[in-house]
Amino acid sequence: MARPILLAVDDDVNVLEAVVQDLRREYGATYRVMRAASGQAALDTLALLKTRQEPVALIVSDQRMPGITGVDFLERSRDIYPETRRVLLTAYADTEAAIRAINSARIHYYLNKPWDPPEEKLYPVLNDLLEDWQAGYQPPFEGLRVIGHRWSLRDHRMRSFLSRNHVPYRWLDIAANDIAGNDIGGNKDALKLLADRQFDPDRLPVVLFGDGSALVDPEPEALAARVGLSIQAAQDFYDMVVVGAGPAGLAAAVYGASEGLRTLVIEPEAPGGQAGSSSRIENYLGFPSGVTGADLGRRANIQALRFGAEFLSQRATGLRIDGQYRFVQLANGREVSSHVVLLATGVHYRKLEIPGAERLTGRGIYYGAALVEAVACKNEDVFVVGGANSAGQAALHFARFARQVTMLVRGKGLSATMSKYLIDEIERTSNIVLEAQTQLLEAIGEERLEGMRLLGTQGESVVPASSLFVFIGAAPGTEWLPSTILRDEQGFLLAGPDLRADGKLPEGWREPREPFLLESSVPGVFIAGDVRHGSVKRVASAVGEGSIAVQFAHQYLAGF
Ligand SMILES: Cc1cc2nc3c(=O)[nH]c(=O)nc-3n(C[C@H](O)[C@H](O)[C@H](O)COP(=O)(O)OP(=O)(O)OC[C@H]3O[C@@H](n4cnc5c(N)ncnc54)[C@H](O)[C@@H]3O)c2cc1C
């Protein structure tokens, strides 16, 4: 298999040579290093590589070049290789160009020249970027393959589970011909594989492993075990059990484990939580060119593992309190015990309550599925419902693949509900259309979504539609918790000062002290992130609360 390519671009021969040498020295064994002496030459090279289907992992380009500048070149390179990591080389005085590059060319990093010593100033940055690229790169190997049907909820769930756990797979969609009207690959391969291996095409998805074994329509737990995720706790007792591995739970795991607490994290999906479905978080401190939620989740997961935290691929279904011990019950019928429990279960997407929505979920209607489904919507028309940041990010992400993205918004516009930087970018994106003051009345279709009945400013209309992505807010899923954990009318959990009603602590509170800031109505059970009543629904605040909760856990444990 051809090694992925690193492309260096600079009109100054000496600088170009220096970049190439530095790249070769560190990455020559794994990557092929190529060079181009101008933006135009680099674009020609990329076009040629594309026709040969060669993978390009990284482009490092100088900014000041005659003809096409580095920013313009990098922007145009996105059309050819959208997933390639883009780095701009600038002089110190070029900060403005660098900021423009982040906004328009969506570069992943800018480096000031000179970068000596490269071990300190160049390689750590490039290692990080190449690791990100590798995480999303699916080399043409015969590894794990999923044969499924695009309009099946189970197929969608399985692909989502694999992607978010960073398990590379090749998807063979047996419905590919039906939607595009022509052969876009996959279909014939899929049917042949099913026939060769005598699998029933009515029992999908089928997961084929590299060693020839297969799982037919497996439950997540069976799949988790097969791809090497842990489904059983290594110990019976932990200092702290964290329920949920979104930003709040991951932060608690990193701080808890790094400070010596035996920490277990329970998460049935993949580390990253809601943020994991975000195509680009732009307002999280320290990532000037944004970071995908999946990358953030992956990095935090590795960080927590490094400090010794344990992760369990399970859902918590109950919480039992017995004296100083807290028992978290799991979906497989087992339980794990600890002194401290941190509930960081976040929120889940609010469902569309219109006729047809339930029947067609996973068959054209998706919740928060921007990353998994985007490629399947190539050259199609896509609809996004919702006017908040999550809907805006999804629309921008789809716009890279779809022919047109239509945003359906109930309000008069986006300004009251969406951040300005996203609104500006949506306005700059020519294939996004905004349908304001529009309400969805019905989803039409039997086997899959075929159309929608809308109520807009011109009255009712029916429009054809095959993909509808829903981002209309979220609700906490806290029904599984005992009633002793107090909550508000919407189910968000009360903690710290919010536990006082009319100035009084809850009747069940027996401690001679006030509840700690993030402590629930049950001592030793803490709350962090979006699931907490009154929380700010942001990655940074969830991370902050997760880490602060660990400090209170220490104080609580000190009382034993
Ligand atoms: C599409 C999208 C884009 C966003 N963009 C941004 C942005 O740009 N900037 C920003 O600051 N914020 C953004 N947000 C908001 C941000 O993602 C959330 O505020 C943040 O993820 C909250 O973190 P959390 O850990 O509290 O909960 P979550 O991220 O919701 O994580 C909770 C985790 O708990 C798990 N869980 C739930 N129930 C159980 C159970 N019973 N047992 C075990 N595990 C369970 C879930 O599977 C989930 O992984 C975005 C949100 C979405 C949906």
Side-chain angles (χ1 to χ4, degrees):
M1 190 184 67
R3 281 173 296 163
I5 290 159
L6 313 182
L7 178 63
V9 189
D10 203 315
D11 63 309
D12 182 325
V13 184
N14 294 332
V15 179
L16 183 59
E17 188 54 30
V19 180
V20 168
Q21 287 311 325
D22 281 346
L23 292 178
R24 282 217 176 112
R25 189 147 50 88
E26 185 69 9
Y27 305 108
T30 330
Y31 295 88
R32 202 147 44 104
V33 181
M34 294 183 68
R35 67 179 81 205
S38 71
Q40 189 53 55
L43 285 173
D44 294 344
T45 304
L46 289 178
L48 189 68
L49 291 171
K50 187 76 181 181
T51 59
R52 293 196 211 137
Q53 299 191 330
E54 301 224 32
V56 178
L58 175 91
I59 304 172
V60 182
S61 172
D62 185 37
Q63 160 62 1
R64 293 185 188 188
M65 295 187 288
I68 307 173
T69 64
V71 176
D72 290 338
F73 155 63
L74 288 171
E75 184 167 6
R76 285 163 64 178
S77 77
R78 285 179 68 201
D79 294 336
I80 312 174
Y81 278 100
E83 301 306 330
T84 295
R85 296 302 183 257
R86 296 174 292 278
V87 176
L88 185 73
L89 292 178
T90 59
Y92 274 105
D94 280 344
T95 316
E96 206 176 297
I99 289 170
R100 195 161 60 83
I102 291 173
N103 288 335
S104 67
R106 291 260 162 230
I107 61 159
H108 297 92
Y109 214 90
Y110 68 88
L111 278 170
N112 288 133
K113 290 187 286 191
W115 53 82
D116 274 339
E119 284 71 18
E120 259 176 44
K121 297 191 176 154
L122 184 69
Y123 300 147
V125 171
L126 299 192
N127 288 344
D128 221 24
L129 293 176
L130 289 171
E131 221 174 83
D132 280 355
W133 179 83
Q134 281 286 359
Y137 171 54
Q138 292 187 17
F141 66 68
E142 287 294 292
L144 198 150
R145 284 169 294 176
V146 175
I147 306 178
H149 192 297
R150 179 180 166 193
W151 307 109
S152 143
L153 184 57
R154 293 194 65 88
D155 177 82
H156 166 68
R157 281 201 184 132
M158 172 156 322
R159 284 184 293 123
S160 187
F161 179 84
L162 290 171
S163 311
R164 294 189 56 197
N165 276 296
H166 310 289
V167 179
Y169 65 92
R170 198 168 140 220
W171 178 43
L172 301 171
D173 174 16
I174 67 158
N177 276 357
D178 303 346
I179 294 109
N182 49 33
D183 186 1
I184 57 169
N187 187 324
K188 272 188 281 165
D189 288 352
L191 290 171
K192 183 167 180 326
L193 264 170
L194 288 178
D196 288 352
R197 302 283 305 269
Q198 298 184 340
F199 288 118
D200 178 357
D202 290 331
R203 276 201 69 203
L204 296 179
V206 170
V207 186
L208 295 172
F209 297 92
D211 63 2
S213 60
L215 286 176
V216 177
D217 193 16
E219 289 302 320
E221 204 177 285
L223 186 59
R226 191 65 178 71
V227 297
L229 300 171
S230 168
I231 55 166
Q232 262 182 45
Q235 303 170 36
D236 292 333
F237 180 80
Y238 293 83
D239 295 322
M240 176 168 75
V241 168
V242 177
V243 186
L250 286 167
V254 167
Y255 284 95
S258 69
E259 289 163 15
L261 296 181
R262 281 169 297 169
T263 304
L264 175 74
V265 185
I266 299 171
E267 170 61 65
E269 303 288 337
Q274 287 170 74
S277 62
S278 166
S279 41
R280 186 173 279 266
I281 298 163
E282 302 210 43
N283 52 3
Y284 187 53
L285 189 75
F287 292 87
S289 12
V291 56
T292 67
D295 281 344
L296 196 63
R298 181 174 56 79
R299 284 154 185 265
N301 180 213
I302 294 169
Q303 206 173 359
L305 286 167
R306 250 192 61 216
F307 286 124
E310 186 184 327
F311 283 74
L312 197 57
S313 204
Q314 288 284 348
R315 176 171 294 282
T317 52
L319 176 64
R320 187 164 69 81
I321 312 297
D322 188 351
Q324 291 183 340
Y325 295 95
R326 277 92 192 89
F327 294 85
V328 176
Q329 292 154 335
L330 305 171
N332 64 357
R334 294 171 185 248
E335 46 182 34
V336 282
S337 64
S338 62
H339 283 317
V340 168
V341 168
L342 175 69
L343 300 171
T345 47
V347 292
H348 54 247
Y349 292 98
R350 214 179 281 281
K351 299 278 185 276
L352 269 181
E353 288 185 6
I354 55 166
E358 203 176 321
R359 182 179 67 247
L360 296 167
T361 295
R363 297 164 176 262
I365 298 183
Y366 303 98
Y367 293 86
L371 290 175
V372 181
E373 294 299 333
V375 184
C377 299
K378 206 165 186 169
N379 301 327
E380 292 183 13
D381 290 346
V382 165
F383 290 83
V384 172
V385 198
N389 281 3
S390 51
Q393 285 178 357
L396 285 164
H397 186 66
F398 283 124
R400 290 168 47 199
F401 301 91
R403 197 182 68 86
Q404 179 173 300
V405 179
T406 305
M407 297 189 72
L408 304 173
V409 176
R410 286 171 88 129
K412 286 195 170 152
L414 298 172
S415 56
T417 48
M418 195 179 287
S419 299
K420 185 163 176 324
Y421 75 91
L422 282 171
I423 299 177
D424 290 348
E425 206 175 333
I426 285 171
E427 282 169 359
R428 281 198 299 266
T429 308
S430 58
N431 63 338
I432 300 184
V433 177
L434 179 67
E435 295 275 357
Q437 294 178 279
T438 301
Q439 217 176 314
L440 245 173
L441 298 180
E442 187 185 351
I444 303 166
E446 285 304 319
E447 291 302 312
R448 64 180 172 91
L449 181 69
E450 285 165 11
M452 296 180 302
R453 199 155 56 82
L454 303 176
L455 177 61
T457 46
Q458 310 291 320
E460 272 190 36
S461 61
V462 172
V463 295
S466 56
S467 300
L468 172 67
F469 294 87
V470 185
F471 297 87
I472 53 169
T478 49
E479 306 76 19
W480 60 280
L481 288 164
S483 56
T484 44
I485 304 276
L486 296 183
R487 60 206 81 187
D488 67 15
E489 311 81 63
Q490 280 101 41
F492 288 94
L493 305 178
L494 299 175
D498 292 330
L499 288 169
R500 280 193 178 271
D502 301 324
K504 289 196 205 116
L505 282 169
E507 268 181 29
W509 186 263
R510 302 265 176 274
E511 299 289 304
R513 60 170 174 84
E514 285 286 309
F516 293 120
L517 187 63
L518 296 173
E519 198 171 23
S520 74
S521 45
V522 172
V525 176
F526 294 86
I527 320 289
D530 280 13
V531 71
R532 191 177 63 77
H533 165 86
S535 60
V536 178
K537 307 289 185 280
R538 286 282 180 275
V539 173
S541 14
V543 167
E545 289 188 14
S547 20
I548 295 170
V550 172
Q551 296 314 307
F552 293 119
H554 282 301
Q555 288 183 39
Y556 175 77
L557 289 169
F560 277 66

